[in-house]
Amino acid sequence: MVCVSSTPWSPVDQSACIHCGAHVTQQFARVFGDDRDRAHRCGECDTYARLSRGSAAGLEVSVPDPETSNGRHGGEPDA
């Protein structure tokens, strides 16, 4: 009897965020990532509001990016 895996081997490391390199789970990448299960953003470098709208899949979203918008998660506080 020969055992064969039906899961294709992928040379791409899918356990890291493409943007910041932080560890992401396979489930996170599968749910929030792109069609190749790669996470372009994660909870370490983006907000849940943006992730849930598609930023982890590499999509542009209308919610301001916390790295570039003051007063947002990760940015400078409002005066």
Side-chain angles (χ1 to χ4, degrees):
M1 176 179 203
V2 175
C3 295
V4 178
S5 173
S6 63
T7 306
W9 177 78
S10 175
V12 177
D13 181 12
Q14 297 172 334
S15 63
C17 171
I18 292 171
H19 183 76
C20 72
H23 173 76
V24 294
T25 64
Q26 288 179 340
Q27 182 176 2
F28 179 89
R30 186 176 66 247
V31 172
F32 291 101
D34 63 16
D35 59 351
R36 294 176 61 198
D37 294 343
R38 297 175 303 170
H40 294 255
R41 299 291 292 260
C42 70
E44 293 294 320
C45 62
D46 213 344
T47 63
Y48 179 74
R50 288 178 45 83
L51 294 171
S52 65
R53 288 170 175 80
S55 69
L59 303 176
E60 291 291 325
V61 296
S62 61
V63 178
D65 188 333
E67 291 185 344
T68 61
S69 298
N70 290 337
R72 302 289 177 177
H73 169 73
E76 294 296 320
D78 292 333

